[in-house]
Amino acid sequence: MSAVIAVPQVGLIGQSTVRRDGVAKVTGQFAYGVDVRLPGMLHAKIRRSDIPHGLLRRVDVSRALALPGVRAVITGDELPEYRASRYIRDELILAKGSVRYKGEPIAVVAADDPEIAAEAVRLIDVEYEPLPVLSDPEQAAQPGAPLIHPEWQTYWANPVLRRDGNILNHTTLLRGDVEEAFAQARHVFEDEYDTQIVHQASLEGHVAIASVDLEGRVHVVSSHQFPYGLRQDIADILHLPLGRIHVTASGLGGGFGAKLYASVEPLCVLLAERTGRPVKIELSREEELAATSPRMAARVHLRTGVDSDGHLLVRQGVIYYDAGAYSLSSPGTSAVGTLMLPGPYRWQALQIDSYSVYTNKTNCGSYRAPGGPQATFAGESQIDRIARELGFDPIEFRDRNAVENGDLGPAGQVLTGVSLRKTLQVAKERSRWPQAQDRPSRPGVRRGRGVACNWWTTTSGASAAVIKLNDDGSIVLSVGATEIGTGAVSAGLVQICAHEMGVAVESVQIVSADTDATPYDFGAQGSRTTFQNGQAIIRAARDLRQQIFALVAPGLDCETDELEVHDGHVYRRDGTGRAVPLAEVARLGQTVGGLLGRGSFTAPPTPYDPSTVKGHTYPAFNSPSFHTHVAEVEVDTETGEVTLTGYHVAQDVGFALNPLYAAGQVTGGATQGIGYALMEEVQYRDGTVLNPNFTDYKLPTIRDVPTIDVALVEEPSEAGPYGMKGVGEPAVVAPAAAIANAVYDAVGVRIRSLPITAEKVLQALRSRELEG
């Protein structure tokens, strides 16, 4: 049974192993949701509202039904009250009686091919009675503003929310004596900031296929980040038993938070039930940009008091987040803003009010670090202003006020694993701050450097894992987690499993993201996938190892605690080299019905002071991480053009499980943040999107982004696997503020609205000249 071999030294943790799906993706063999084809499949298109707000007077589908190849048409009038959303059930899946944004679904058509479906949609006649359009969230929040949802009080809503008319939720954070702190302040600074709506811009948009079997069971294949959440959404919306729904996540061509909620899937199910055939909906780029769930715009009013020694005392802020026409995730997203506006600094007192407000725009949703970039742009821009006007170096000022272990977060949580000062020092060294920058590239150009800091959370939520030992000693890992392109599943979870089971990563096969075949997971969101699933895998591996050791110990003449597993073998720890191959253990395991390890994990809730918050859905950050960004720019004083010449990120990752992919996530997040800062905007005029395509919606290209210098800072968490913290989201938060601060350093003007376009910079420069 046993053999004597050399004991290898195996350690996969902290190594840059290769992701399992990489070859398929770079060779074009990977299957995304858009690639799914089923026999007899129909194609569906959506008839959308032509106006941003109005009453529906007539929806005539007769011409569409008469078109050859059309198999079904469904309108809202045919359906019960099928309402969507997890915070407030305020949105019908097909409009009935009124429409509240341009692009809202009114009817859906299934046909033999996409072209016939599109033509049928054009043949649906709709008559409207226009109503006033509300575009500004601050104005919409005022008493007496026209109500976008006159019946808002009849909707089911999460009882935590504080609602009133167009206000979906009013979150307050109040700590300390604000009036007394302002009375003590030597300096008081007041500013207003605006941010824009931006889109996740996944290369693959929303796509889903639904089919119904002979027993009436529904199978949905969707490009979705949260299969179990989608299953629950479909059950809630369509009033179906949960057990009748099977959801499988297809390969995802990007998500970034846009694919966390039900969108087209319920419509696919209704059409599949009506026609008896599989039905696919694939949104166009125009539909994605005009009618899905982008990041909310925000207006921030900010007032901050500082003492004579440059210590921050008090911050008072009001944030108006633009929710769009329906709630989706906005009540929770806006609540997060109350934790982000204070930044990672010490305060005697805080008063932050955050409003999520209905407007006549597409309903906004989650986008990488939801709620964070808006508040951080405002908060860190003003921190920079304070530092410079009081004569402090911007990095030294932040260091002076930085939180440390044992300090309180905004809502009273006791902070641990704090690394802000460490990231400030690393960023300072990597950017050679405050050494003089290189000469400008040409006359009329000035160089500047800016810094910004932020903190962020690691979202909790349950995860489970099952590990099976195959007869040949290989491993099958089963998790509910979805691989959304980050490598969290295809690299990180495989790596943890291989490490814990003592096998090569090539020996681990993974089954994931299927509500029938895999255990529960709370979804690919909130930088949680590797953190939560990793701990579940560690527990499942521990369970499986104990079963393995119990089988092997008698044959190796030792106790179970004297054994370890490496390189596909079980060894005695005494160094004798006696070992049993895992394949042989698996055959032994057949006598007991096979060997399966099970594990689950939910990070414990972070304690906070509940007396400090009202209307809050996310009052504390779990296993928080801390970050510093430095941007280097050139600004052309003749045109206002801003060119990013250098970018440095010091990101606290807790522990770098896979440094290659951790750095990749930081690079990707920072790149999205650069686009947010300089060019991206879903442009609205009177409720209509003006740029619903990639020609007019500007995204950063390789020419716009310099090489991003990434430093992975390791300050271990208490709850994460091997001390890990969430990695995916934080890097998108700080770039807008860092770049705005760099522009000020270069040319002495502060841009307080995003994006920072050449036109805005040039206008600010000319206004300064006129004032001078």
Side-chain angles (χ1 to χ4, degrees):
M1 176 178 173
S2 64
V4 178
I5 59 176
V7 179
Q9 299 299 314
V10 177
L12 294 172
I13 299 307
Q15 303 299 311
S16 293
T17 60
V18 177
R19 58 191 296 165
R20 300 300 301 278
D21 58 356
V23 172
K25 286 185 172 179
V26 300
T27 58
Q29 300 176 61
F30 188 82
Y32 294 96
V34 295
D35 299 315
V36 176
R37 303 283 188 274
L38 297 178
M41 187 176 76
L42 300 174
H43 297 266
K45 296 290 183 180
I46 299 169
R47 174 62 162 98
R48 298 181 180 274
S49 171
D50 305 293
I51 66 172
H53 195 198
L55 301 177
L56 283 173
R57 291 309 188 193
R58 185 174 70 94
V59 179
D60 185 350
V61 301
S62 58
R63 292 197 300 156
L65 283 169
L67 186 68
V70 170
R71 304 301 174 182
V73 180
I74 300 175
T75 67
D77 287 336
E78 303 173 52
L79 302 177
E81 294 283 307
Y82 287 157
R83 292 188 176 272
S85 192
R86 296 176 195 164
Y87 283 103
I88 305 170
R89 291 193 184 139
D90 55 1
E91 182 179 12
L92 294 168
I93 61 172
L94 289 174
K96 184 189 303 188
S98 64
V99 290
R100 296 180 172 92
Y101 70 93
K102 187 172 181 178
E104 182 168 357
I106 295 174
V108 63
V109 176
D112 291 342
D113 61 47
E115 292 74 24
I116 295 173
E119 178 61 24
V121 162
R122 286 191 287 271
L123 293 174
I124 296 175
D125 296 316
V126 182
E127 292 182 4
Y128 311 90
E129 180 181 325
L131 292 172
V133 175
L134 294 181
S135 298
D136 185 293
E138 185 170 4
Q139 293 177 8
Q142 301 309 308
L147 291 179
I148 293 176
H149 292 262
E151 69 277 27
W152 67 271
Q153 291 175 300
T154 67
Y155 299 153
W156 175 91
N158 184 317
V160 171
L161 306 184
R162 301 163 70 205
R163 303 162 60 224
D164 185 13
N166 289 330
I167 298 172
L168 295 81
N169 189 26
H170 173 198
T171 303
T172 60
L173 186 151
L174 179 61
R175 201 187 84 210
D177 190 330
V178 173
E179 289 187 9
E180 175 60 25
F182 272 118
Q184 294 176 14
R186 178 70 177 273
H187 309 278
V188 176
F189 299 82
E190 296 191 50
D191 293 289
E192 179 181 306
Y193 301 89
D194 284 282
T195 70
Q196 77 282 37
I197 292 177
V198 293
H199 202 273
Q200 297 88 348
S202 302
L203 290 183
E204 179 192 44
H206 290 75
V207 57
I209 304 94
S211 57
V212 182
D213 67 18
L214 295 176
E215 297 181 350
R217 194 155 190 263
V218 173
H219 184 202
V220 174
V221 179
S222 176
S223 178
H224 204 272
Q225 297 175 230
F226 186 7
Y228 276 92
L230 177 57
R231 184 178 70 165
Q232 187 66 59
D233 282 348
I234 294 171
D236 290 343
I237 293 166
L238 300 182
H239 309 158
L240 294 175
L242 204 65
R244 277 189 55 198
I245 306 165
H246 171 204
V247 173
T248 302
S250 64
L252 264 73
F256 309 112
K259 300 174 181 177
L260 286 170
Y261 295 79
S263 59
V264 299
E265 295 86 1
L267 297 177
C268 285
V269 172
L270 290 175
L271 289 168
E273 288 180 328
R274 180 165 294 193
T275 63
R277 293 167 64 177
V279 176
K280 180 177 186 177
I281 296 179
E282 179 183 344
L283 296 189
S284 67
R285 183 59 57 192
E286 288 74 15
E287 289 176 298
E288 285 287 324
L289 283 163
T292 55
S293 52
R295 178 184 293 154
M296 294 187 286
R299 177 167 300 135
V300 184
H301 300 279
L302 197 54
R303 183 169 178 249
T304 300
V306 187
D307 72 12
S308 57
D309 295 321
H311 294 111
L312 298 169
L313 296 178
V314 56
R315 173 160 278 182
Q316 193 174 45
V318 180
I319 315 174
Y320 293 96
Y321 283 97
D322 189 341
Y326 298 100
S327 58
L328 204 63
S329 62
S330 60
T333 298
S334 60
V336 170
T338 65
L339 302 184
M340 294 299 290
L341 195 58
Y345 306 111
R346 294 194 186 104
W347 301 94
Q348 286 186 18
L350 291 167
Q351 182 180 0
I352 313 294
D353 290 270
S354 182
Y355 298 89
S356 180
V357 187
Y358 287 125
T359 63
N360 292 119
K361 301 172 187 172
T362 184
N363 34 317
C364 294
S366 298
Y367 176 8
R368 205 171 195 163
Q374 303 96 318
T376 298
F377 169 64
E380 283 295 292
S381 291
Q382 194 188 64
I383 288 291
D384 203 72
R385 178 195 168 199
I386 293 169
R388 292 183 183 275
E389 291 190 16
L390 297 185
F392 288 95
D393 174 89
I395 286 183
E396 297 304 323
F397 183 78
R398 288 168 169 82
D399 185 82
R400 174 180 292 249
N401 290 282
V403 290
E404 295 181 320
N405 285 325
D407 285 337
L408 297 181
Q413 73 178 93
V414 177
L415 299 175
T416 60
V418 178
S419 60
L420 182 57
R421 285 200 165 106
K422 187 183 293 187
T423 65
L424 279 163
Q425 184 60 35
V426 171
K428 182 177 180 179
E429 293 171 357
R430 298 288 283 254
S431 64
R432 298 178 299 149
W433 187 294
Q435 296 178 31
Q437 295 178 268
D438 296 335
R439 287 178 174 272
S441 60
R442 62 188 186 278
V445 167
R446 296 182 184 176
R447 282 184 173 265
R449 182 190 281 129
V451 61
C453 298
N454 67 283
W455 71 316
W456 192 247
T457 186
T458 308
T459 298
S460 186
S463 294
V466 176
I467 304 176
K468 175 185 176 182
L469 181 62
N470 283 330
D471 294 350
D472 61 354
S474 64
I475 297 292
V476 176
L477 169 64
S478 178
V479 291
T482 306
E483 174 57 69
I484 61 172
T486 65
V489 175
S490 63
L493 299 189
V494 169
Q495 192 170 348
I496 291 172
C497 183
H499 176 82
E500 293 292 328
M501 291 308 304
V503 300
V505 292
E506 294 78 13
S507 296
V508 178
Q509 301 301 315
I510 190 160
V511 179
S512 65
D514 186 304
T515 60
D516 273 11
T518 62
Y520 181 82
D521 179 63
F522 189 57
Q525 57 179 317
S527 304
R528 63 172 298 281
T529 297
T530 309
F531 188 102
Q532 304 290 341
N533 285 273
Q535 285 287 31
I537 291 167
I538 289 170
R539 285 157 171 73
R542 183 187 305 150
D543 179 28
L544 181 53
R545 287 199 309 269
Q546 290 306 312
Q547 297 175 49
I548 290 170
F549 294 163
L551 282 174
V552 170
L556 290 180
D557 301 319
C558 64
E559 300 297 323
T560 57
D561 60 3
E562 298 177 74
L563 295 173
E564 60 188 1
V565 59
H566 293 296
D567 195 33
H569 291 73
V570 180
Y571 298 92
R572 285 182 53 156
R573 292 182 184 273
D574 59 10
T576 61
R578 296 184 63 190
V580 180
L582 283 177
E584 191 168 335
V585 177
R587 288 191 287 273
L588 283 174
Q590 292 175 350
T591 63
V592 294
L595 297 175
L596 290 172
R598 298 173 176 84
S600 61
F601 180 74
T602 304
T606 300
Y608 67 99
D609 182 354
S611 70
T612 63
V613 294
K614 294 180 181 178
H616 219 302
T617 60
Y618 204 114
F621 278 179
N622 303 306
S623 298
S625 54
F626 300 83
H627 318 280
T628 300
H629 291 219
V630 174
E632 297 166 348
V633 302
E634 286 189 341
V635 181
D636 189 319
T637 58
E638 297 297 322
T639 66
E641 182 181 9
V642 178
T643 301
L644 196 61
T645 59
Y647 204 87
H648 309 270
V649 183
Q651 174 155 327
D652 172 15
V653 298
F655 170 76
L657 169 69
N658 188 310
L660 176 66
Y661 294 124
Q665 283 299 291
V666 176
T667 300
T671 300
Q672 286 184 313
I674 290 165
Y676 181 58
L678 293 174
M679 62 195 70
E680 293 187 45
E681 181 178 12
V682 178
Q683 297 175 352
Y684 271 89
R685 180 182 297 162
D686 299 326
T688 296
V689 174
L690 302 179
N691 58 335
N693 54 70
F694 279 168
T695 299
D696 299 317
Y697 183 87
K698 300 301 183 183
L699 289 164
T701 69
I702 196 67
R703 297 186 65 183
D704 301 307
V705 181
T707 299
I708 295 174
D709 171 41
V710 177
L712 303 178
V713 176
E714 296 182 315
E715 184 70 31
S717 71
E718 297 176 356
Y722 321 113
M724 286 177 55
K725 298 176 180 177
V727 174
E729 294 176 295
V732 79
V733 175
I739 292 169
N741 294 337
V743 169
Y744 176 83
D745 185 50
V747 293
V749 296
R750 290 209 175 272
I751 308 301
R752 292 181 171 86
S753 68
L754 295 178
I756 304 168
T757 61
E759 293 84 356
K760 290 179 184 177
V761 175
L762 189 58
Q763 182 179 14
L765 289 170
R766 288 176 176 173
S767 296
R768 186 184 62 181
E769 290 173 1
L770 292 173
E771 292 171 2

